[in-house]
Amino acid sequence: MGRRTPASAWDMERLSGEALSAEPDDFFDILEERRRSNDLSHALRSFNPQRYRGATPISAAALNRMVLESQYLSYIIQEIVVESDEPREAVQEEASAILDEMSQNLQLGFIRLLGFAMTKVFKSVFSSIYVNEEGLTRLQQAIQEHPVILMPNHRSYMDFLVLSYIMFTYDLSIPVIAAGIPLMGMKLIGEIFRRSGAFFIRRAIGSDKLYWAVLSEYVKTIVRTGYAPLEFYVEGLRSRTLKSLTPKLGMMHMVLEPFFKGEVVDLSLVPISISYERVLEESLLAHELLGVPKPRETTGGLLKARTVLKEDYGCMHVCFGNPVSVRDLVKGKINRRQYNLVPRDLPMKPNKETQEFVSGLAHMIIRLQERNAVLSAWNLMVMVLLQNLQGIDLDLLTNKTLWVRRIALQFGAHIRWPKHVLDSEVMSSSLTLHHSVVRCERGRVYLVEEAVQEEGVFRRAAAVLMCASYRNQAVHVFTRPAMVAVAITTAVSSRTDDVFHHFKFLLELFSNEFVFIPDQAVQDYEEGCSLLQQSGVIGRSDEEVYVRDNGQESIVFLRAILQPFIESYQVVFRYLCEESSQTFREKMFSTSIRSFVMKLLISGEVQSYEGLSSDLQRNVLSALLRMAAVTKTKVDDQNEFRVNKSAVKRIWDMLNDGWTPRISDARL
């Protein structure tokens, strides 16, 4: 099958630049010096960052005035006045109130205060915070040349604190940060965050035309003036599964518009990968996935959570990727002359070409975040543990983890595995660090909870989902080879076209579970095949793909990585076909499907506790919506779904047929 890569494809290898070493050595522990020096001296030292050369320094108040006096906002306000028949002064006052609620008020004094406090916290909870200094050198250069957009992944509330702390430590311009509005409601803490550069965005904006206009103009003014580096999470939300999320495109469109309209020469997008050996919110996230309401973000709640700060959370890696030039990427993908036809100050809806470019760029940034992630021994250990929920001997766990490590390195993963330390000690220290999830008794490793009744199933599910979240930090390394492994062993034949056809089906089905750049199925398939071929797992010709004799063990392991997702999707399909009414509300679905999965777990009909995850359940609905097996409408301000049961059954049958392998299967 000769499949050419389209000219418009995203060149991931070129954009990745110089790759990290497989076992990253070029990281520096910024806490090492903090442990030797005075915290107050660090906070009060001189701070003279080099700024964007094209920027004229302005105050936060002046920035706000520029927004309120902009022609764009004036145009939108006039539209609202005509549509609503409200007095212009009232709409202007509302716009001003929105901006007051939203805007940051970055002040160096509060950065110093936060820097002093965070040094105390970081030294308490983390053994090390590793940063790639070469990436910071590239960032320093980029900040001087063009407006910079910092784009980290989002796994913990610590994310934006640690980035600002690193920028302060290395004399880099402090970023302004898009934050959720619940943080603003935290007394005192919310104001400290505002004065440390956070600006606050409502979670439910809906069709509020004025709010969108104020937010859009505020973001665009920050970008076009080069006021400060702008930081936002392209995933939109903190990932409760620690797995990459499908990007949200609203903020992406806002930051790119000044470039499209020729108001800035270029933009530098900096993908940032934050990797935690242990996440502070691990238990909270697992329980949220199981339907336990998320606690409100309050100062009192933060103070009560101080017990969390007495735990050991191991080390953190922060990798600043190569700055990505939007000007370079846009060549051949968008004709920017269209923007010359409309005055810059007037709103312009992006056309299909622009929407596809922005979507592809956002997905590409997440893929770059994944490529630069640094894995720990624990990320690999849980892959084995999740395939042995009944428990496993420590010696066997060690041997299998080392085997998984070899595969991960062959697939291009970056792994922190301490040198000059016995493998048994690395394993032992990881088990100790994650004592809340696993225990070791008489040389055998178990999850912390083992019970069979409903309450026990819930406790066991929480432990499984915590382990799964750490597997998810590494799952991107294996996703494409694993999907090829499933396709090879379950397609109707070993013919290349049949294998690729089944791969495409899996890619379409799981496009909300894993991040794939749109319209790059061929490239994803080639990546998966190439990694397996280079590792000696498969062989292939133009007509056929086959598993080599010495590749069987790897194929079984890779299939088992996808098994929890496949089984969980099968369970949801079964519920929709056999138990669900034809129409249902979203809230009812969550409750009903959780009860259904719980019964199947208790009876032993299914093994995958991940079917209880609310995020996975929503992903199944999203997949069925995309595949036209479910439709969604708004009824009484709630989402109502209508199921085409025959269409769901067809997809279910394809997945069932595809999970019955032509090649013998067994657990790792």
Side-chain angles (χ1 to χ4, degrees):
M1 178 178 61
R3 302 185 183 279
R4 286 181 61 247
T5 299
S8 60
W10 303 90
D11 188 346
M12 292 292 296
E13 297 301 328
R14 181 178 64 82
L15 293 169
S16 295
E18 293 181 17
L20 295 173
S21 58
E23 300 193 17
D25 299 318
D26 53 346
F27 281 74
F28 178 77
D29 178 14
I30 62 173
L31 291 186
E32 185 177 342
E33 186 177 342
R34 297 286 70 74
R35 297 188 196 281
R36 296 198 306 261
S37 60
N38 183 278
D39 296 343
L40 187 59
S41 297
H42 173 68
L44 296 179
R45 65 186 172 75
S46 62
F47 179 69
N48 298 299
Q50 292 181 303
R51 302 183 182 279
Y52 170 43
R53 292 169 186 156
T56 302
I58 56 174
S59 66
L63 183 76
N64 288 2
R65 283 196 301 274
M66 292 175 70
V67 173
L68 292 174
E69 295 170 2
S70 69
Q71 290 296 313
Y72 171 79
L73 190 56
S74 177
Y75 181 90
I76 297 296
I77 286 174
Q78 184 58 36
E79 281 192 336
I80 293 171
V81 168
V82 172
E83 292 166 1
S84 66
D85 208 25
E86 287 186 62
R88 184 177 178 89
E89 292 74 15
V91 180
Q92 286 175 322
E93 286 180 15
E94 186 182 351
S96 182
I98 290 170
L99 188 58
D100 286 343
E101 173 193 80
M102 178 189 301
S103 59
Q104 56 77 36
N105 187 16
L106 181 59
Q107 297 175 15
L108 181 57
F110 280 84
I111 292 295
R112 295 188 185 280
L113 172 63
L114 200 62
F116 177 75
M118 285 300 99
T119 298
K120 300 290 187 188
V121 171
F122 291 151
K123 288 195 299 185
S124 171
V125 300
F126 295 115
S127 58
S128 307
I129 297 179
Y130 292 104
V131 180
N132 65 323
E133 293 190 323
E134 285 187 12
L136 289 170
T137 300
R138 292 191 294 264
L139 174 59
Q140 184 178 43
Q141 183 66 31
I143 286 175
Q144 297 173 60
E145 294 174 351
H146 303 289
V148 163
I149 313 298
L150 302 177
M151 303 182 70
N153 56 355
H154 195 15
R155 304 294 177 263
S156 169
Y157 287 127
M158 284 287 180
D159 294 341
F160 93 78
L161 296 171
V162 77
L163 285 186
S164 292
Y165 183 81
I166 291 169
M167 301 287 275
F168 176 67
T169 298
Y170 281 88
D171 263 9
L172 296 171
S173 296
I174 303 299
V176 293
I177 307 150
I181 209 161
L183 290 175
M184 187 191 78
M186 300 171 68
K187 293 178 182 176
L188 182 62
I189 299 296
E191 189 57 31
I192 291 175
F193 286 169
R194 186 190 297 276
R195 298 191 186 204
S196 300
F199 64 94
F200 301 100
I201 303 173
R202 296 175 189 170
R203 284 192 177 157
I205 302 174
S207 58
D208 189 332
K209 186 174 183 177
L210 184 60
Y211 193 93
W212 276 114
V214 173
L215 173 60
S216 176
E217 185 61 19
Y218 186 66
V219 169
K220 290 184 289 186
T221 303
I222 290 171
V223 173
R224 72 168 69 98
T225 61
Y227 176 81
L230 175 64
E231 177 186 328
F232 77 96
Y233 303 110
V234 69
E235 295 167 297
L237 301 169
R238 179 184 51 154
S239 173
R240 298 190 297 184
T241 62
L242 303 189
K243 181 158 49 71
S244 296
L245 303 179
T246 303
K248 303 292 187 293
L249 303 181
M251 184 72 76
M252 198 77 178
H253 277 284
M254 292 178 201
V255 301
L256 292 174
E257 188 174 313
F259 169 75
F260 291 149
K261 290 189 172 182
E263 295 171 303
V264 295
V265 175
D266 198 359
L267 291 174
S268 293
L269 310 183
V270 182
I272 302 173
S273 307
I274 306 176
S275 308
Y276 292 89
E277 191 172 12
R278 184 183 174 198
V279 177
L280 274 74
E281 305 96 326
E282 60 180 8
S283 177
L284 176 68
L285 296 176
H287 284 85
E288 280 183 37
L289 291 172
L290 291 170
V292 177
K294 177 184 175 182
R296 282 188 63 228
E297 291 145 335
T298 64
T299 304
L302 182 65
L303 294 174
K304 289 176 184 175
R306 284 181 298 174
T307 54
V308 174
L309 303 182
K310 296 178 182 177
E311 286 276 341
D312 178 11
Y313 292 91
C315 69
M316 178 197 306
H317 282 77
V318 183
C319 180
F320 290 80
N322 284 335
V324 174
S325 164
V326 176
R327 184 182 179 87
D328 287 348
L329 284 180
V330 83
K331 292 173 183 174
K333 294 188 174 73
I334 290 182
N335 180 3
R336 288 201 290 156
R337 292 176 184 172
Q338 60 184 298
Y339 289 93
N340 297 331
L341 304 176
V342 178
R344 287 178 177 175
D345 294 324
L346 297 186
M348 181 177 176
K349 186 176 180 179
N351 61 18
K352 182 182 178 183
E353 180 185 60
T354 302
Q355 291 175 3
E356 289 177 351
F357 172 79
V358 172
S359 175
L361 180 55
H363 282 80
M364 184 207 73
I365 291 293
I366 291 178
R367 291 282 284 123
L368 291 173
Q369 291 171 351
E370 291 178 339
R371 286 199 170 199
N372 286 333
V374 178
L375 309 184
S376 67
W378 177 246
N379 297 134
L380 308 179
M381 289 167 65
V382 291
M383 289 193 156
V384 180
L385 284 169
L386 287 169
Q387 297 182 24
N388 295 273
L389 291 180
Q390 76 284 359
I392 183 172
D393 289 342
L394 178 57
D395 289 344
L396 184 58
L397 174 62
T398 301
N399 290 335
K400 288 187 177 296
T401 299
L402 292 172
W403 179 78
V404 173
R405 177 184 170 221
R406 285 196 296 274
I407 294 177
L409 290 173
Q410 288 171 344
F411 288 175
H414 312 301
I415 303 172
R416 179 184 177 267
W417 194 282
K419 293 183 177 179
H420 313 300
V421 178
L422 293 174
D423 293 332
S424 58
E425 291 182 18
V426 174
M427 300 291 290
S428 178
S429 64
S430 291
L431 291 173
T432 301
L433 184 68
H434 294 277
H435 61 88
S436 61
V437 185
V438 291
R439 70 181 195 277
C440 186
E441 292 180 1
R442 299 177 183 177
R444 194 168 176 83
V445 179
Y446 304 91
L447 292 189
V448 289
E449 292 293 342
E450 292 190 78
V452 293
Q453 298 306 311
E454 183 162 340
E455 184 181 344
V457 169
F458 185 89
R459 291 199 305 270
R460 164 54 75 92
V464 169
L465 289 182
M466 278 194 274
C467 281
S469 68
Y470 290 105
R471 173 210 62 203
N472 288 342
Q473 288 185 308
V475 76
H476 63 273
V477 174
F478 302 92
T479 301
R480 288 154 185 80
M483 288 173 62
V484 171
V486 172
I488 288 173
T489 54
T490 57
V492 294
S493 78
S494 61
R495 290 179 61 248
T496 298
D497 284 339
D498 289 332
V499 174
F500 178 68
H501 176 75
H502 196 72
F503 177 91
K504 277 187 69 177
F505 165 71
L506 293 172
L507 186 146
E508 174 70 7
L509 186 62
F510 292 125
S511 284
N512 290 89
E513 293 296 340
F514 314 110
V515 173
F516 303 102
I517 298 176
D519 303 317
Q520 290 206 175
V522 173
Q523 291 89 330
D524 286 318
Y525 176 74
E526 285 299 322
E527 180 183 331
C529 286
S530 295
L531 291 172
L532 291 173
Q533 197 169 7
Q534 291 163 17
S535 304
V537 176
I538 67 169
R540 59 175 175 158
S541 64
D542 288 343
E543 296 80 25
E544 184 184 26
V545 185
Y546 57 92
V547 180
R548 296 186 180 277
D549 290 341
N550 60 354
Q552 296 286 355
E553 186 179 10
S554 296
I555 290 291
V556 170
F557 165 71
L558 292 168
R559 280 173 51 85
I561 289 176
L562 289 186
Q563 184 271 335
F565 300 98
I566 290 174
E567 183 175 339
S568 297
Y569 273 54
Q570 289 171 330
V571 169
V572 178
F573 295 159
R574 175 178 169 183
Y575 170 78
L576 291 174
C577 289
E578 299 178 358
E579 303 287 332
S580 170
S581 57
Q582 194 160 7
T583 61
F584 56 85
R585 299 284 176 91
E586 193 166 12
K587 287 185 178 179
M588 183 205 76
F589 170 76
S590 298
T591 304
S592 300
I593 187 64
R594 188 171 287 117
S595 298
F596 181 69
V597 176
M598 192 76 78
K599 289 176 184 176
L600 294 179
L601 285 166
I602 292 171
S603 69
E605 286 188 66
V606 300
Q607 308 298 319
S608 177
Y609 291 84
E610 292 179 55
L612 292 169
S613 165
S614 57
D615 279 19
L616 183 143
Q617 294 158 8
R618 276 195 293 271
N619 287 344
V620 178
L621 283 184
S622 296
L624 293 175
L625 279 165
R626 192 176 56 253
M627 299 170 84
V630 168
T631 56
K632 181 173 70 172
T633 54
K634 278 282 186 184
V635 178
D636 299 330
D637 290 329
Q638 290 188 49
N639 289 327
E640 183 173 277
F641 295 89
R642 176 173 290 274
V643 184
N644 181 336
K645 295 197 176 192
S646 60
V648 173
K649 184 65 166 61
R650 282 195 297 272
I651 296 170
W652 184 17
D653 287 343
M654 284 187 70
L655 196 58
N656 281 341
D657 293 342
W659 193 240
T660 305
R662 290 181 289 101
I663 295 176
S664 60
D665 208 352
R667 284 293 169 91
L668 175 69

CSV table of all heavy atoms in Angstrom, one decimal, residues 117-152:
chain,number,residue,atom,x,y,z
A,117,ALA,N,7.0,32.1,49.2
A,117,ALA,CA,6.1,31.1,49.7
A,117,ALA,C,6.3,29.8,49.0
A,117,ALA,O,6.3,28.7,49.6
A,117,ALA,CB,4.7,31.6,49.6
A,118,MET,N,6.4,29.9,47.6
A,118,MET,CA,6.5,28.7,46.8
A,118,MET,C,7.9,27.9,47.1
A,118,MET,O,7.9,26.7,47.0
A,118,MET,CB,6.4,29.0,45.3
A,118,MET,CG,5.0,29.3,44.9
A,118,MET,SD,3.8,27.9,45.2
A,118,MET,CE,3.0,28.4,46.7
A,119,THR,N,8.9,28.7,47.4
A,119,THR,CA,10.2,28.0,47.7
A,119,THR,C,10.0,27.1,48.9
A,119,THR,O,10.4,25.9,48.9
A,119,THR,CB,11.3,29.0,48.0
A,119,THR,OG1,11.5,29.8,46.8
A,119,THR,CG2,12.6,28.3,48.4
A,120,LYS,N,9.3,27.6,49.9
A,120,LYS,CA,9.0,26.8,51.1
A,120,LYS,C,8.2,25.6,50.8
A,120,LYS,O,8.5,24.4,51.2
A,120,LYS,CB,8.2,27.6,52.1
A,120,LYS,CG,8.9,28.9,52.6
A,120,LYS,CD,10.1,28.5,53.5
A,120,LYS,CE,10.7,29.8,54.1
A,120,LYS,NZ,12.0,29.5,54.8
A,121,VAL,N,7.1,25.8,50.0
A,121,VAL,CA,6.2,24.7,49.6
A,121,VAL,C,6.9,23.6,48.7
A,121,VAL,O,6.9,22.4,49.0
A,121,VAL,CB,5.0,25.2,48.8
A,121,VAL,CG1,4.2,24.0,48.3
A,121,VAL,CG2,4.1,26.0,49.8
A,122,PHE,N,7.6,24.1,47.7
A,122,PHE,CA,8.3,23.2,46.8
A,122,PHE,C,9.4,22.3,47.5
A,122,PHE,O,9.5,21.1,47.2
A,122,PHE,CB,8.9,23.9,45.6
A,122,PHE,CG,7.9,24.5,44.7
A,122,PHE,CD1,8.2,25.7,44.0
A,122,PHE,CD2,6.7,24.0,44.5
A,122,PHE,CE1,7.3,26.2,43.1
A,122,PHE,CE2,5.7,24.5,43.6
A,122,PHE,CZ,6.1,25.6,42.9
A,123,LYS,N,10.1,23.0,48.4
A,123,LYS,CA,11.2,22.2,49.1
A,123,LYS,C,10.5,21.2,50.0
A,123,LYS,O,11.2,20.1,50.4
A,123,LYS,CB,12.1,23.2,49.9
A,123,LYS,CG,13.0,24.0,49.0
A,123,LYS,CD,14.1,24.6,49.8
A,123,LYS,CE,13.6,25.6,50.9
A,123,LYS,NZ,14.7,26.3,51.5
A,124,SER,N,9.3,21.5,50.5
A,124,SER,CA,8.6,20.5,51.4
A,124,SER,C,8.1,19.3,50.7
A,124,SER,O,8.2,18.2,51.2
A,124,SER,CB,7.5,21.3,52.1
A,124,SER,OG,6.7,20.4,52.8
A,125,VAL,N,7.5,19.5,49.5
A,125,VAL,CA,6.7,18.4,48.8
A,125,VAL,C,7.5,17.7,47.7
A,125,VAL,O,7.2,16.6,47.4
A,125,VAL,CB,5.4,18.9,48.3
A,125,VAL,CG1,4.5,19.5,49.4
A,125,VAL,CG2,5.6,19.9,47.2
A,126,PHE,N,8.5,18.4,47.1
A,126,PHE,CA,9.2,17.7,46.0
A,126,PHE,C,10.7,17.5,46.4
A,126,PHE,O,11.3,18.4,47.0
A,126,PHE,CB,9.2,18.6,44.8
A,126,PHE,CG,7.8,18.8,44.2
A,126,PHE,CD1,7.2,20.0,44.2
A,126,PHE,CD2,7.1,17.7,43.7
A,126,PHE,CE1,5.9,20.2,43.7
A,126,PHE,CE2,5.8,17.8,43.2
A,126,PHE,CZ,5.2,19.1,43.2
A,127,SER,N,11.2,16.4,46.0
A,127,SER,CA,12.6,16.1,46.2
A,127,SER,C,13.5,16.9,45.2
A,127,SER,O,14.6,17.4,45.6
A,127,SER,CB,12.9,14.6,46.1
A,127,SER,OG,12.6,14.2,44.8
A,128,SER,N,12.9,17.1,44.0
A,128,SER,CA,13.6,17.9,43.0
A,128,SER,C,12.6,18.5,42.0
A,128,SER,O,11.6,17.9,41.8
A,128,SER,CB,14.6,17.0,42.2
A,128,SER,OG,15.5,16.3,43.0
A,129,ILE,N,13.0,19.6,41.4
A,129,ILE,CA,12.3,20.1,40.2
A,129,ILE,C,13.3,20.3,39.1
A,129,ILE,O,14.2,21.2,39.2
A,129,ILE,CB,11.6,21.5,40.6
A,129,ILE,CG1,10.5,21.3,41.6
A,129,ILE,CG2,10.9,22.1,39.3
A,129,ILE,CD1,9.8,22.6,42.0
A,130,TYR,N,13.3,19.5,38.2
A,130,TYR,CA,14.2,19.5,37.1
A,130,TYR,C,13.7,20.4,35.9
A,130,TYR,O,12.6,20.2,35.5
A,130,TYR,CB,14.5,18.1,36.6
A,130,TYR,CG,15.3,17.2,37.6
A,130,TYR,CD1,14.6,16.2,38.3
A,130,TYR,CD2,16.6,17.4,37.8
A,130,TYR,CE1,15.3,15.4,39.2
A,130,TYR,CE2,17.3,16.6,38.7
A,130,TYR,CZ,16.6,15.6,39.4
A,130,TYR,OH,17.3,14.8,40.3
A,131,VAL,N,14.6,21.2,35.4
A,131,VAL,CA,14.3,22.1,34.3
A,131,VAL,C,15.4,21.9,33.2
A,131,VAL,O,16.6,21.8,33.5
A,131,VAL,CB,14.3,23.6,34.7
A,131,VAL,CG1,13.9,24.5,33.6
A,131,VAL,CG2,13.2,23.7,35.8
A,132,ASN,N,15.0,21.9,31.9
A,132,ASN,CA,16.0,21.9,30.8
A,132,ASN,C,16.4,23.3,30.5
A,132,ASN,O,15.7,24.1,30.0
A,132,ASN,CB,15.5,21.2,29.6
A,132,ASN,CG,14.3,21.9,28.9
A,132,ASN,OD1,13.5,22.5,29.6
A,132,ASN,ND2,14.2,21.9,27.6
A,133,GLU,N,17.7,23.6,30.9
A,133,GLU,CA,18.2,25.0,30.8
A,133,GLU,C,18.3,25.4,29.4
A,133,GLU,O,18.2,26.6,29.0
A,133,GLU,CB,19.4,25.1,31.6
A,133,GLU,CG,19.2,25.0,33.1
A,133,GLU,CD,20.4,25.4,33.9
A,133,GLU,OE1,21.6,25.1,33.5
A,133,GLU,OE2,20.2,26.0,35.0
A,134,GLU,N,18.6,24.5,28.5
A,134,GLU,CA,18.7,24.8,27.0
A,134,GLU,C,17.4,25.4,26.5
A,134,GLU,O,17.4,26.3,25.7
A,134,GLU,CB,19.2,23.6,26.2
A,134,GLU,CG,20.6,23.2,26.4
A,134,GLU,CD,21.1,22.1,25.4
A,134,GLU,OE1,20.3,21.8,24.5
A,134,GLU,OE2,22.2,21.6,25.6
A,135,GLY,N,16.3,24.8,27.0
A,135,GLY,CA,15.0,25.3,26.6
A,135,GLY,C,14.8,26.7,27.1
A,135,GLY,O,14.1,27.5,26.4
A,136,LEU,N,15.2,27.0,28.3
A,136,LEU,CA,15.1,28.3,28.9
A,136,LEU,C,15.9,29.3,28.1
A,136,LEU,O,15.5,30.5,27.9
A,136,LEU,CB,15.4,28.3,30.3
A,136,LEU,CG,14.4,27.6,31.2
A,136,LEU,CD1,15.0,27.4,32.7
A,136,LEU,CD2,13.1,28.4,31.3
A,137,THR,N,17.1,28.9,27.6
A,137,THR,CA,17.9,29.8,26.8
A,137,THR,C,17.2,30.2,25.5
A,137,THR,O,17.2,31.3,25.1
A,137,THR,CB,19.3,29.1,26.5
A,137,THR,OG1,19.9,28.9,27.8
A,137,THR,CG2,20.1,30.1,25.7
A,138,ARG,N,16.6,29.1,24.9
A,138,ARG,CA,15.8,29.4,23.7
A,138,ARG,C,14.6,30.3,23.9
A,138,ARG,O,14.3,31.2,23.1
A,138,ARG,CB,15.4,28.1,23.0
A,138,ARG,CG,16.5,27.2,22.5
A,138,ARG,CD,16.0,26.0,21.7
A,138,ARG,NE,15.2,25.1,22.5
A,138,ARG,CZ,15.7,24.0,23.0
A,138,ARG,NH1,17.0,23.7,22.8
A,138,ARG,NH2,15.0,23.2,23.7
A,139,LEU,N,14.0,30.1,25.1
A,139,LEU,CA,12.8,30.9,25.4
A,139,LEU,C,13.2,32.4,25.6
A,139,LEU,O,12.5,33.3,25.2
A,139,LEU,CB,12.2,30.3,26.7
A,139,LEU,CG,11.0,31.2,27.3
A,139,LEU,CD1,9.9,31.4,26.3
A,139,LEU,CD2,10.5,30.5,28.6
A,140,GLN,N,14.4,32.6,26.3
A,140,GLN,CA,14.8,33.9,26.6
A,140,GLN,C,15.1,34.7,25.2
A,140,GLN,O,14.7,35.8,25.1
A,140,GLN,CB,16.1,33.9,27.4
A,140,GLN,CG,16.7,35.3,27.7
A,140,GLN,CD,17.9,35.2,28.6
A,140,GLN,OE1,18.8,34.4,28.3
A,140,GLN,NE2,18.0,35.9,29.6
A,141,GLN,N,15.6,34.0,24.2
A,141,GLN,CA,15.8,34.6,22.9
A,141,GLN,C,14.5,34.9,22.3
A,141,GLN,O,14.3,36.0,21.7
A,141,GLN,CB,16.7,33.7,22.1
A,141,GLN,CG,17.0,34.2,20.7
A,141,GLN,CD,18.0,35.4,20.8
A,141,GLN,OE1,18.8,35.5,21.7
A,141,GLN,NE2,17.8,36.4,19.8
A,142,ALA,N,13.6,33.9,22.3
A,142,ALA,CA,12.3,34.1,21.7
A,142,ALA,C,11.5,35.3,22.3
A,142,ALA,O,10.8,36.0,21.5
A,142,ALA,CB,11.5,32.8,21.8
A,143,ILE,N,11.6,35.5,23.6
A,143,ILE,CA,10.8,36.6,24.2
A,143,ILE,C,11.3,37.9,23.7
A,143,ILE,O,10.4,38.8,23.5
A,143,ILE,CB,11.0,36.5,25.8
A,143,ILE,CG1,10.2,35.3,26.4
A,143,ILE,CG2,10.6,37.8,26.4
A,143,ILE,CD1,10.5,35.1,27.8
A,144,GLN,N,12.5,38.1,23.3
A,144,GLN,CA,13.0,39.3,22.8
A,144,GLN,C,12.6,39.6,21.4
A,144,GLN,O,12.5,40.7,21.0
A,144,GLN,CB,14.5,39.4,22.9
A,144,GLN,CG,15.1,39.3,24.4
A,144,GLN,CD,16.6,39.1,24.4
A,144,GLN,OE1,17.3,40.0,23.9
A,144,GLN,NE2,17.1,38.0,24.9
A,145,GLU,N,12.3,38.5,20.6
A,145,GLU,CA,12.1,38.7,19.2
A,145,GLU,C,10.6,38.9,18.8
A,145,GLU,O,10.3,39.6,17.9
A,145,GLU,CB,12.7,37.5,18.5
A,145,GLU,CG,14.2,37.4,18.6
A,145,GLU,CD,14.8,36.1,18.0
A,145,GLU,OE1,14.0,35.3,17.6
A,145,GLU,OE2,16.0,36.0,17.9
A,146,HIS,N,9.8,38.1,19.4
A,146,HIS,CA,8.3,38.1,19.0
A,146,HIS,C,7.5,37.9,20.3
A,146,HIS,O,8.0,37.4,21.3
A,146,HIS,CB,8.0,37.0,18.0
A,146,HIS,CG,8.9,37.1,16.8
A,146,HIS,ND1,8.7,38.1,15.8
A,146,HIS,CD2,9.9,36.4,16.3
A,146,HIS,CE1,9.5,38.0,14.8
A,146,HIS,NE2,10.3,36.9,15.1
A,147,PRO,N,6.2,38.3,20.2
A,147,PRO,CA,5.3,37.9,21.3
A,147,PRO,C,5.3,36.4,21.5
A,147,PRO,O,5.3,35.6,20.5
A,147,PRO,CB,3.9,38.4,20.9
A,147,PRO,CG,4.2,39.5,19.9
A,147,PRO,CD,5.5,39.1,19.2
A,148,VAL,N,5.4,36.0,22.8
A,148,VAL,CA,5.5,34.5,23.1
A,148,VAL,C,4.2,34.0,23.8
A,148,VAL,O,3.7,34.7,24.7
A,148,VAL,CB,6.7,34.3,24.1
A,148,VAL,CG1,6.7,33.0,24.8
A,148,VAL,CG2,8.0,34.4,23.3
A,149,ILE,N,3.8,32.8,23.4
A,149,ILE,CA,2.7,32.2,24.0
A,149,ILE,C,3.2,30.9,24.6
A,149,ILE,O,3.7,30.0,24.0
A,149,ILE,CB,1.6,31.8,22.9
A,149,ILE,CG1,1.3,33.0,22.0
A,149,ILE,CG2,0.3,31.3,23.6
A,149,ILE,CD1,0.8,34.2,22.7
A,150,LEU,N,3.1,30.8,26.0
A,150,LEU,CA,3.5,29.6,26.7
A,150,LEU,C,2.3,28.6,26.8
A,150,LEU,O,1.2,29.0,27.2
A,150,LEU,CB,4.0,30.0,28.1
A,150,LEU,CG,5.1,31.0,28.2
A,150,LEU,CD1,5.4,31.3,29.7
A,150,LEU,CD2,6.4,30.5,27.6
A,151,MET,N,2.6,27.4,26.4
A,151,MET,CA,1.5,26.4,26.3
A,151,MET,C,1.8,25.1,27.0
A,151,MET,O,2.3,24.1,26.4
A,151,MET,CB,1.2,26.2,24.8
A,151,MET,CG,0.8,27.4,24.0
A,151,MET,SD,0.4,27.2,22.3
A,151,MET,CE,-1.2,26.4,22.4
A,152,PRO,N,1.6,25.1,28.3
A,152,PRO,CA,1.9,23.9,29.1
A,152,PRO,C,0.8,22.9,29.1
A,152,PRO,O,-0.4,23.3,28.8
A,152,PRO,CB,2.1,24.5,30.5
A,152,PRO,CG,1.3,25.7,30.6
A,152,PRO,CD,1.3,26.3,29.2
